[in-house]
């Protein structure tokens, strides 16, 4: 194994293509999760159980893979975002703790995950995700961030009476501010990455809800299955058009 291979992470280089696919994947997580739990009438608990098995299998394969593989990585991202959708809905609605309670609980779990990761390995930068130990922290953090994003999206869209379009604008502006900070300040690139990564989830969640929710609820009433298929096709096209390179450490 040469030096280049040793310093390559098992996650993709952070590019515009990465963010396009990430937003599409988070939107797919919303429409796909709703398709199973709502359209198929399986409920949030059964939906969570199904996607949890899928997520566990995907994470296992991702960690066992010797080096970065774009298809395996993005399947795992999709798995985390679908289980995040049904898990957040189960916590918010079935457990009765509400959007505020669910979002607060998940934010605490996310911050604890980042803290423990940083404490144990010294960095939460994606370029350092090169070992199974780092990957376990990485994927656990992502699951918490995906679930938190769903709860935040629903909270802003429903409780703040902004609707899906208004919520999408709110999270879009927040993402634009993070991008501006990235290009115009010297703030930590690592923490700006995680800020953007977390915010793309509620943005995708409200866009997904806008696509598939009924007209009288402010949505377009599109088929959840059709929307999910279209998003999956978009992701596949992006993977074919844009080469995914592994992120590399600076040394």
């Amino acid at each position: 194994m040469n030096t280049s291979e040793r310093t390559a992470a098992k996650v993709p280089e952070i590019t515009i293509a990465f963010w396009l696919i990430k937003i599409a994947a988070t939107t797919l997580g919303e429409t796909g999760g709703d398709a199973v739990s709502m359209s198929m009438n399986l409920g949030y608990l059964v939906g969570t159980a199904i996607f949890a098995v899928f997520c566990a299998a995907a994470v296992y394969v991702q960690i066992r893979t010797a080096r970065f593989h774009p298809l395996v990585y993005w399947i795992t991202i999709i798995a985390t975002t679908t289980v995040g959708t049904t898990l957040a809905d189960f916590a918010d609605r079935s457990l009765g703790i509400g959007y505020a309670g669910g979002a607060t609980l998940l934010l605490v779990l996310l911050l604890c995950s980042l803290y423990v990761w940083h404490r144990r390995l010294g960095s939460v930068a994606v370029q350092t995700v090169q070992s199974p130990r780092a990957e376990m922290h990485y994927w656990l953090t992502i699951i918490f961030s995906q679930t938190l994003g769903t709860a935040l999206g629903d909270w802003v869209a429903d409780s703040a009476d902004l609707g899906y379009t208004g919520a999408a604008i709110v999270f879009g502006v927040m993402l634009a501010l993070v991008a501006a900070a990235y290009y115009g300040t010297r703030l930590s690139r690592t923490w700006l990455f995680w800020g953007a990564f977390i915010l793309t989830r509620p943005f995708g969640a409200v866009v997904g809800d806008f696509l598939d929710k009924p007209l009288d609820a402010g949505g377009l009433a599109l088929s959840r299955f059709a929307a999910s298929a279209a998003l999956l096709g978009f992701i596949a096209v992006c993977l074919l058009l844009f080469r995914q390179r592994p992120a590399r450490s600076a040394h």
Side-chain angles (χ1 to χ4, degrees), residues 165-203:
T165 303
I169 292 173
V170 169
F171 292 117
V173 169
M174 293 175 72
L175 281 168
L177 291 175
V178 173
Y182 179 87
Y183 289 107
T185 74
R186 295 184 179 180
L187 293 175
S188 167
R189 297 306 189 248
T190 296
W191 294 111
L192 287 174
F193 164 80
W194 283 110
F197 194 96
I198 292 166
L199 287 171
T200 54
R201 181 62 185 105
F203 180 77

Side-chain angles (χ1 to χ4, degrees), residues 51 147 211:
F51 288 126
T147 311
L211 293 175

Side-chain angles (χ1 to χ4, degrees), residues 91-92 97-109 147-148 151-153 155:
D92 295 342
I97 61 178
Y99 296 134
T104 301
L105 173 62
L106 290 162
L107 177 60
V108 170
L109 290 173
T147 311
L148 170 63
L152 283 176
W155 189 8

Side-chain angles (χ1 to χ4, degrees), residues 18 36 72 182 217:
F18 171 88
V36 170
V72 174
Y182 179 87

